[in-house]
Amino acid sequence: MKFVTAAVTFVLLVGGGLAASSQKLPWQTSDSPGGGPNQQLVHFLYPQQVTVPAGAAQTVELHFRIANGLHINSHEPRQKSLIRTELIVAEPQGVKIAAVDFPAGSDFAFPADPSTKLSIYSGEFSLTMHLTAQKGDHLVQGALRYQACDNSTCFPPRKAPVAIDVIGH
């Protein structure tokens, strides 16, 4: 199984496979204590299932919603110290993910420092995944890694689970 992080970096799993119940996939670990699903500030909305022509390059739009009153850093924050938004995806056998396109961020400045502009996402946004699937049913699983902030506080990084049933026909 292969992992795709931020759409272009590939990491190959080494070892005896993922069958062991004690081994966790990268998005199944929390970056902070208590970072469980009840504390998600960003939610994967849809699609939960897509049907694509087998063997043909396709795009799939992944839709997300950020909780009201919050924003997350874009995929390309303007300051190196900020945590960028990334998509971590496991490629199941039969699916090749070529890339994931992130939207441009919106400019944002805190009221206390209007001259410093951040690149953020807020509200709803979507990513474009470029993939090719072989014939059959394939479960693509992953997570959106992000750091959410309001106008005064940034929360510890979290991961929003993503799962899409890709059917190649």
Side-chain angles (χ1 to χ4, degrees):
M1 183 176 290
K2 216 170 14 173
F3 292 99
V4 182
T5 301
V8 293
T9 305
F10 296 94
V11 178
L12 190 58
L13 279 179
V14 181
L18 297 175
S21 62
S22 63
Q23 186 174 9
K24 294 190 178 219
L25 296 170
W27 58 86
Q28 293 173 318
T29 58
S30 174
D31 287 325
S32 63
N38 296 343
Q39 298 177 344
Q40 288 301 326
L41 304 174
V42 177
H43 295 277
F44 174 61
L45 299 176
Y46 61 92
Q48 294 179 347
Q49 182 178 36
V50 294
T51 301
V52 297
Q58 298 293 308
T59 59
V60 176
E61 297 291 320
L62 308 177
H63 297 264
F64 296 87
R65 178 183 300 128
I66 301 165
N68 289 337
L70 300 177
H71 63 269
I72 63 175
N73 295 315
S74 75
H75 180 64
E76 296 180 345
R78 295 203 177 103
Q79 298 172 0
K80 290 183 182 184
S81 62
L82 299 177
I83 296 172
R84 72 185 197 149
T85 297
E86 299 179 303
L87 184 66
I88 304 164
V89 180
E91 283 184 337
Q93 189 171 10
V95 175
K96 169 71 175 144
I97 299 170
V100 176
D101 299 331
F102 286 76
S106 300
D107 286 342
F108 174 81
F110 288 106
D113 186 9
S115 64
T116 301
K117 301 285 187 205
L118 304 177
S119 177
I120 64 148
Y121 303 136
S122 61
E124 291 189 18
F125 68 100
S126 61
L127 309 179
T128 303
M129 180 182 289
H130 301 264
L131 60 80
T132 304
Q134 296 175 0
K135 188 172 183 161
D137 194 352
H138 313 281
L139 182 60
V140 175
Q141 296 183 75
L144 185 78
R145 183 176 186 273
Y146 64 92
Q147 182 174 28
C149 304
D150 61 19
N151 283 340
S152 62
T153 305
C154 286
F155 301 95
R158 298 201 173 121
K159 296 178 180 108
V162 175
I164 307 163
D165 185 22
V166 178
I167 302 170
H169 70 94

Tab-separated table of all heavy atoms in Angstrom, residues 13-38:
chain	number	residue	atom	x	y	z
A	13	LEU	N	4.807	1.717	2.670
A	13	LEU	CA	4.760	1.041	3.965
A	13	LEU	C	5.729	-0.124	3.942
A	13	LEU	O	5.759	-0.892	3.003
A	13	LEU	CB	3.362	0.504	4.241
A	13	LEU	CG	2.374	1.499	4.768
A	13	LEU	CD1	1.034	0.821	4.971
A	13	LEU	CD2	2.849	2.102	6.062
A	14	VAL	N	6.500	-0.255	4.993
A	14	VAL	CA	7.467	-1.320	5.108
A	14	VAL	C	7.036	-2.231	6.247
A	14	VAL	O	6.541	-1.780	7.258
A	14	VAL	CB	8.878	-0.745	5.399
A	14	VAL	CG1	9.894	-1.853	5.495
A	14	VAL	CG2	9.268	0.254	4.335
A	15	GLY	N	7.234	-3.496	6.096
A	15	GLY	CA	6.923	-4.423	7.174
A	15	GLY	C	5.913	-5.447	6.740
A	15	GLY	O	5.700	-5.671	5.561
A	16	GLY	N	5.278	-6.037	7.727
A	16	GLY	CA	4.388	-7.157	7.486
A	16	GLY	C	2.992	-6.781	7.046
A	16	GLY	O	2.115	-7.625	7.054
A	17	GLY	N	2.748	-5.559	6.670
A	17	GLY	CA	1.418	-5.170	6.212
A	17	GLY	C	0.631	-4.499	7.307
A	17	GLY	O	1.111	-4.265	8.402
A	18	LEU	N	-0.625	-4.193	6.995
A	18	LEU	CA	-1.469	-3.451	7.921
A	18	LEU	C	-2.456	-4.349	8.653
A	18	LEU	O	-3.337	-3.862	9.329
A	18	LEU	CB	-2.228	-2.365	7.156
A	18	LEU	CG	-1.341	-1.313	6.525
A	18	LEU	CD1	-2.185	-0.366	5.694
A	18	LEU	CD2	-0.582	-0.554	7.573
A	19	ALA	N	-2.313	-5.639	8.519
A	19	ALA	CA	-3.284	-6.549	9.119
A	19	ALA	C	-3.220	-6.533	10.646
A	19	ALA	O	-4.216	-6.781	11.309
A	19	ALA	CB	-3.059	-7.960	8.599
A	20	ALA	N	-2.064	-6.262	11.199
A	20	ALA	CA	-1.934	-6.276	12.653
A	20	ALA	C	-2.776	-5.162	13.257
A	20	ALA	O	-2.685	-4.028	12.854
A	20	ALA	CB	-0.473	-6.112	13.052
A	21	SER	N	-3.593	-5.496	14.226
A	21	SER	CA	-4.505	-4.508	14.794
A	21	SER	C	-3.779	-3.414	15.564
A	21	SER	O	-4.326	-2.343	15.775
A	21	SER	CB	-5.529	-5.196	15.699
A	21	SER	OG	-4.852	-5.827	16.767
A	22	SER	N	-2.548	-3.656	15.986
A	22	SER	CA	-1.833	-2.645	16.757
A	22	SER	C	-1.194	-1.586	15.872
A	22	SER	O	-0.819	-0.531	16.346
A	22	SER	CB	-0.761	-3.310	17.620
A	22	SER	OG	0.198	-3.939	16.787
A	23	GLN	N	-1.061	-1.854	14.582
A	23	GLN	CA	-0.433	-0.889	13.684
A	23	GLN	C	-1.477	0.089	13.171
A	23	GLN	O	-2.538	-0.306	12.719
A	23	GLN	CB	0.225	-1.613	12.514
A	23	GLN	CG	1.021	-0.669	11.638
A	23	GLN	CD	1.788	-1.428	10.576
A	23	GLN	OE1	1.606	-2.616	10.399
A	23	GLN	NE2	2.635	-0.739	9.864
A	24	LYS	N	-1.158	1.370	13.263
A	24	LYS	CA	-2.092	2.400	12.828
A	24	LYS	C	-1.588	3.067	11.561
A	24	LYS	O	-0.387	3.206	11.352
A	24	LYS	CB	-2.282	3.452	13.916
A	24	LYS	CG	-2.960	2.879	15.132
A	24	LYS	CD	-3.352	3.965	16.084
A	24	LYS	CE	-4.064	3.336	17.247
A	24	LYS	NZ	-5.168	4.100	17.695
A	25	LEU	N	-2.528	3.486	10.728
A	25	LEU	CA	-2.200	4.251	9.535
A	25	LEU	C	-1.936	5.696	9.958
A	25	LEU	O	-2.373	6.130	11.019
A	25	LEU	CB	-3.353	4.174	8.537
A	25	LEU	CG	-3.618	2.750	8.018
A	25	LEU	CD1	-4.907	2.709	7.222
A	25	LEU	CD2	-2.454	2.245	7.194
A	26	PRO	N	-1.235	6.488	9.130
A	26	PRO	CA	-0.828	7.835	9.553
A	26	PRO	C	-1.962	8.738	10.014
A	26	PRO	O	-1.781	9.553	10.893
A	26	PRO	CB	-0.149	8.406	8.311
A	26	PRO	CG	0.326	7.223	7.560
A	26	PRO	CD	-0.684	6.131	7.829
A	27	TRP	N	-3.145	8.620	9.445
A	27	TRP	CA	-4.235	9.513	9.839
A	27	TRP	C	-5.007	8.990	11.042
A	27	TRP	O	-5.910	9.637	11.524
A	27	TRP	CB	-5.200	9.738	8.672
A	27	TRP	CG	-5.774	8.461	8.169
A	27	TRP	CD1	-6.867	7.812	8.642
A	27	TRP	CD2	-5.257	7.653	7.134
A	27	TRP	NE1	-7.060	6.648	7.960
A	27	TRP	CE2	-6.086	6.534	7.013
A	27	TRP	CE3	-4.173	7.763	6.269
A	27	TRP	CZ2	-5.869	5.538	6.083
A	27	TRP	CZ3	-3.967	6.779	5.343
A	27	TRP	CH2	-4.806	5.678	5.257
A	28	GLN	N	-4.662	7.803	11.530
A	28	GLN	CA	-5.358	7.245	12.678
A	28	GLN	C	-4.693	7.616	13.991
A	28	GLN	O	-5.135	7.201	15.043
A	28	GLN	CB	-5.433	5.721	12.549
A	28	GLN	CG	-6.308	5.277	11.403
A	28	GLN	CD	-6.242	3.793	11.180
A	28	GLN	OE1	-5.185	3.188	11.236
A	28	GLN	NE2	-7.391	3.200	10.914
A	29	THR	N	-3.638	8.397	13.937
A	29	THR	CA	-2.983	8.852	15.156
A	29	THR	C	-3.322	10.316	15.355
A	29	THR	O	-3.512	11.059	14.411
A	29	THR	CB	-1.449	8.697	15.053
A	29	THR	OG1	-0.983	9.442	13.939
A	29	THR	CG2	-1.059	7.238	14.910
A	30	SER	N	-3.397	10.736	16.583
A	30	SER	CA	-3.748	12.113	16.904
A	30	SER	C	-2.486	12.936	17.100
A	30	SER	O	-1.509	12.464	17.645
A	30	SER	CB	-4.573	12.141	18.190
A	30	SER	OG	-4.794	13.465	18.582
A	31	ASP	N	-2.516	14.162	16.627
A	31	ASP	CA	-1.401	15.069	16.840
A	31	ASP	C	-1.451	15.701	18.215
A	31	ASP	O	-0.531	16.380	18.626
A	31	ASP	CB	-1.393	16.174	15.786
A	31	ASP	CG	-0.962	15.663	14.431
A	31	ASP	OD1	-0.095	14.773	14.360
A	31	ASP	OD2	-1.511	16.153	13.445
A	32	SER	N	-2.560	15.530	18.906
A	32	SER	CA	-2.688	16.136	20.225
A	32	SER	C	-3.524	15.232	21.112
A	32	SER	O	-4.360	14.493	20.631
A	32	SER	CB	-3.369	17.501	20.100
A	32	SER	OG	-4.675	17.345	19.609
A	33	PRO	N	-3.313	15.322	22.439
A	33	PRO	CA	-4.139	14.521	23.342
A	33	PRO	C	-5.604	14.913	23.191
A	33	PRO	O	-5.939	16.080	23.035
A	33	PRO	CB	-3.616	14.895	24.729
A	33	PRO	CG	-2.270	15.500	24.507
A	33	PRO	CD	-2.299	16.091	23.127
A	34	GLY	N	-6.476	13.928	23.197
A	34	GLY	CA	-7.912	14.205	23.114
A	34	GLY	C	-8.380	14.643	21.755
A	34	GLY	O	-9.454	15.204	21.632
A	35	GLY	N	-7.596	14.396	20.710
A	35	GLY	CA	-7.972	14.837	19.367
A	35	GLY	C	-8.910	13.875	18.687
A	35	GLY	O	-8.686	13.498	17.558
A	36	GLY	N	-9.958	13.443	19.347
A	36	GLY	CA	-10.877	12.457	18.809
A	36	GLY	C	-11.877	13.055	17.837
A	36	GLY	O	-11.909	14.265	17.603
A	37	PRO	N	-12.725	12.190	17.251
A	37	PRO	CA	-13.669	12.638	16.239
A	37	PRO	C	-14.706	13.622	16.758
A	37	PRO	O	-15.286	14.362	15.989
A	37	PRO	CB	-14.320	11.342	15.753
A	37	PRO	CG	-14.072	10.341	16.827
A	37	PRO	CD	-12.814	10.775	17.528
A	38	ASN	N	-14.960	13.659	18.061
A	38	ASN	CA	-15.920	14.620	18.612
A	38	ASN	C	-15.401	16.045	18.542
A	38	ASN	O	-16.157	16.985	18.716
A	38	ASN	CB	-16.253	14.271	20.072
A	38	ASN	CG	-16.943	12.944	20.195
A	38	ASN	OD1	-17.460	12.422	19.210
A	38	ASN	ND2	-16.932	12.388	21.380
